[in-house]
Each structure stands twice: as C-alpha cells, then as structure tokens.
Amino acid sequence: MKIDHVALYCMDLEGMKEFFIRYFNGVSNEMYHNPKTGLKTYILNFEGSDARLELMTRPEVKDEAENIYRQGFIHLSFSVGSKEKVDSLTKLLNEDGYQVLSGPRTTGDGYYESCIVGPEKILIELTE
C-alpha cells in the first residue's frame, strides 16, 4: 500500500501552484474546474516520487490557519537528496521571505532537516 496523493485547500490556488513548481520542481496538470460547485484543482507530480499533491480551492474555503500548531495534518516533507540541497533550498526560501522555523540541523532522531513556513502558513520540512 502507498499514499497516492494528499489534497490541500488553499486561498491562492495559482500562487500555491507556482510555489511548488518554483521551489520543488513540481509539474502540474491543467486546471480542473467544476463550474457547478466552483471547485478548481491542480495535481502536481514530483520527480522521483509516486505521491502527488492536489491543490484545491472553492468559494467556501476560509482562511483559518492562524495557529501553525493546529490539530490535523501539520506539514509536508520533501526529501531533496542531500544535506547541501537542504542548506541551499533553506537559504533560498529564507532570502525570498519565507520564515525558517528550525534548522538546518540534525534532529534527535537522526534526520538532517529544516522547517519553513510556506505560503498560507503551510509548514514544509526539507530533509536530505
């Protein structure tokens, strides 16, 4: 068994899609739009991974992401391939205005990682 995809509601669908394309080399399908419900989605694929990310929006979506330590799914983790890539991507994201919450560092359980606050307060973990 494997995870096929994870879906994420967002306020700025285009901005979120561009973030994952720019920083994580995501490849997006064409937008799906259901005019009856207002649902709009993109599905992104990532090199070397079968798991996909579905970005969704619809008129009823509300911005309630005030607390980054809220209940539910809390972060998205990308294995970028090396410590050097964790370092360089963390530096680039920080220079582009994204807050670095931790790292890069080796965690107590042996992972080399950093954690940044992405668009719409989504926590993104970068691992080697």
Side-chain angles (χ1 to χ4, degrees):
M1 191 175 308
K2 63 181 181 177
I3 293 176
D4 178 71
H5 74 276
V6 175
L8 173 67
Y9 270 129
C10 50
M11 302 297 293
D12 179 5
L13 183 64
E14 295 298 323
M16 193 72 77
K17 178 185 81 161
E18 292 307 315
F19 174 83
F20 287 105
I21 288 171
R22 176 174 182 193
Y23 296 106
F24 299 96
N25 301 316
V27 176
S28 179
N29 68 344
E30 292 295 318
M31 180 197 296
Y32 166 76
H33 179 219
N34 181 331
K36 189 180 284 189
T37 64
L39 175 71
K40 295 179 181 179
T41 71
Y42 288 109
I43 295 181
L44 284 85
N45 292 285
F46 300 92
E47 184 178 339
S49 177
D50 291 333
R52 299 172 297 152
L53 176 62
E54 182 175 12
L55 302 174
M56 308 184 319
T57 196
R58 60 187 310 143
E60 300 87 352
V61 174
K62 293 187 175 38
D63 180 6
E64 296 179 352
E66 301 226 358
N67 183 355
I68 62 173
Y69 299 106
R70 64 193 170 274
Q71 170 271 336
F73 286 106
I74 198 59
H75 69 259
L76 200 53
S77 181
F78 285 88
S79 174
V80 297
S82 70
K83 289 181 178 182
E84 293 78 21
K85 288 183 182 178
V86 171
D87 293 346
S88 64
L89 186 52
T90 302
K91 183 177 186 241
L92 174 62
L93 287 159
N94 189 15
E95 288 170 351
D96 287 352
Y98 295 98
Q99 179 187 2
V100 177
L101 284 183
S102 65
R105 65 189 174 94
T106 301
T107 63
D109 52 358
Y111 289 92
Y112 189 77
E113 68 178 35
S114 66
C115 184
I116 63 111
V117 181
E120 301 188 26
K121 297 184 183 159
I122 294 169
L123 298 184
I124 301 182
E125 211 173 72
L126 307 174
T127 65
E128 65 179 296

